[in-house]
Amino acid sequence: MRNRRIANTSVEVTELGFGASVIGNLYRVTPVQDAAAAVQTALDAGLRYFDTAPHYGLGLSERRLGAALRGLPRERYVVSSKVGRLLVPNERPQGVDSEGFVVRDDLRRAWDFSRDGVLRSIDATLERTGLDRLDIVYLHDPDDHWRQAADEAMPALADLRDQGVVGAIGAGMNQSAMLARFLRETAADVVMLAGRYTLLDQSALDDVLPAAVDHGRSVVAVGVFNSGLLSRDRPAPGMKYDYADAPPHLVDRAREIAEVCERHGTTLPAAAIAFPFSHPSIINVTLGMRSEEQVRRNVDLYRRRVPEGLWDDLRTRGLIRPDVPTRNSAEHTPETEGVGVVSDGPGH
């Protein structure tokens, strides 16, 4: 599996990443043995990049990922986590977390992008994971906290990076406009872009992707199925798009793309994973992986080829934007073109 380096850093990630949100019991319970087996299967298959966050299962994802990696040589893997949501005691627990994770709500999330909040969050993550360092740290969803995130959190992360405590820093969000600001106005090395450069939404071409090119920064793509609509060979009404029921016109468009994919001998989810690599700044696609079976299937499809003519055909038919870069311009030349398969949770 090919490695790609985050621009201007020494941190390398595999093109396919392991999103650990789902092993934090996202939407449903994942048995601990399944979580451990998924991580081990990923390692055996050559994956080296694992992404987690305190938000995922109120720390459960971090604990499970750390336990699965324990005892392995530290150079065998790269771990990213996030700051901005401190975990604090919940004064009014209701029994189950209210943000999609099937865990007890003895803790709650508290927004904090202050310097002290960043340091406390990283210390807590290291304690939960048992790691001695984090390779990448992202600001997590600072949509409503730009000023504190830019003026306090990012400089705090930059100090840690400059001291060699972390390898790379950035921000992860579901929007692209603010990520572009982080690349243009702060010390961010990399951004985690959720859902804004997909077969159905190329809006990142208007802001964050040009900013990455202009400033020589890198992008990790997650949410490439737009919450589900691109995750099956045949899209159907009732599937989700950006966490809500997909509108009929997008279901129709996804079906059209799926039909073109079939004519080129591939599938819609395979093309959805291959597509982000059309842009030269995107170095990784991260998928949530809950079980050994999901990991094996993702890796197997990653190693298959998506025909180059598919992208030209989609452009010609107006199903993707005409300014989507060609594969030749994207410097994506693994031994086989990378594609993948659906996960049942977001990497972000």
Side-chain angles (χ1 to χ4, degrees):
M1 190 169 294
R2 188 181 181 193
N3 286 331
R4 304 282 288 272
R5 184 172 59 84
I6 296 174
N8 306 310
T9 77
S10 61
V11 179
E12 291 188 351
V13 297
T14 44
E15 285 188 328
L16 185 62
F18 184 107
S21 60
V22 288
I23 67 171
N25 285 0
L26 180 64
Y27 304 139
R28 61 183 174 87
V29 172
T30 299
V32 62
Q33 61 270 23
D34 289 359
V39 174
Q40 185 58 56
T41 303
L43 288 163
D44 292 344
L47 274 75
R48 294 293 180 266
Y49 176 44
F50 298 84
D51 175 68
T52 185
H55 170 56
Y56 303 153
L58 293 171
L60 180 62
S61 171
E62 291 184 323
R63 292 195 298 273
R64 285 181 165 180
L65 180 60
L69 295 174
R70 196 159 298 139
L72 297 174
R74 187 60 180 83
E75 64 274 10
R76 280 197 63 191
Y77 55 85
V78 170
V79 172
S80 62
S81 193
K82 305 180 183 76
V83 298
R85 287 175 168 100
L86 280 174
L87 301 184
V88 300
N90 188 356
E91 303 86 353
R92 298 179 180 84
Q94 301 298 310
V96 179
D97 179 48
S98 62
E99 297 197 29
F101 295 90
V102 186
V103 295
R104 290 186 57 83
D105 63 344
D106 298 329
L107 300 173
R108 64 176 177 85
R109 303 158 183 88
W111 291 105
D112 192 337
F113 289 95
S114 68
R115 180 181 182 84
D116 179 66
V118 166
L119 298 178
R120 288 170 57 199
S121 184
I122 291 174
D123 284 345
T125 289
L126 294 177
E127 181 176 355
R128 283 189 291 268
T129 59
L131 298 175
D132 61 349
R133 72 176 189 276
L134 295 173
D135 301 286
I136 308 166
V137 179
Y138 299 105
L139 307 184
H140 202 176
D141 294 334
D143 303 68
D144 299 323
H145 307 273
W146 162 259
R147 185 48 56 201
Q148 189 178 50
D151 290 352
E152 297 186 45
M154 194 60 76
L157 291 182
D159 287 345
L160 294 176
R161 180 195 58 194
D162 296 345
Q163 295 166 22
V165 177
V166 299
I169 62 174
M173 305 176 72
N174 288 289
Q175 61 156 295
S176 58
M178 190 178 287
L179 288 181
R181 291 192 67 186
F182 276 110
L183 293 181
R184 292 189 177 110
E185 301 177 33
T186 78
D189 304 301
V190 58
V191 293
M192 179 171 276
L193 175 67
R196 303 284 74 84
Y197 192 64
T198 73
L199 286 171
L200 289 175
D201 183 345
Q202 293 104 56
S203 57
L205 286 170
D206 296 326
D207 39 45
V208 69
L209 293 177
V213 171
D214 292 345
H215 295 269
R217 311 292 174 83
S218 297
V219 178
V220 167
V222 298
V224 297
F225 298 110
N226 287 125
S227 301
L229 186 54
L230 298 174
S231 67
R232 298 287 181 259
D233 292 1
R234 282 290 181 178
M239 297 183 75
K240 300 296 182 183
Y241 177 83
D242 286 1
Y243 311 108
D245 289 342
H249 75 280
L250 284 182
V251 176
D252 291 343
R253 186 169 155 223
R255 283 174 174 163
E256 289 185 69
I257 296 173
E259 291 169 0
V260 177
C261 289
E262 287 184 9
R263 286 196 287 272
H264 284 268
T266 188
T267 65
L268 182 63
I273 293 299
F275 174 76
F277 292 112
S278 66
H279 196 278
S281 295
I282 294 180
I283 61 171
N284 167 277
V285 168
T286 288
L287 300 174
M289 303 191 198
R290 193 186 292 270
S291 65
E292 291 180 78
E293 181 182 6
Q294 284 189 1
V295 174
R296 290 195 183 103
R297 193 175 179 209
N298 286 343
V299 172
D300 176 62
L301 291 180
Y302 167 82
R303 290 173 174 157
R304 298 183 189 179
R305 180 176 177 84
V306 171
E308 180 66 24
L310 171 64
W311 317 118
D312 295 333
D313 202 352
L314 292 174
R315 285 189 201 89
T316 299
R317 295 170 183 270
L319 292 171
I320 60 175
R321 285 173 43 160
D323 54 342
V324 167
T326 63
R327 183 59 61 99
N328 289 338
S329 70
E331 300 177 358
H332 180 66
T333 56
E335 293 179 358
T336 56
E337 297 293 347
V339 299
V341 71
V342 63
S343 71
D344 57 0
H348 179 57

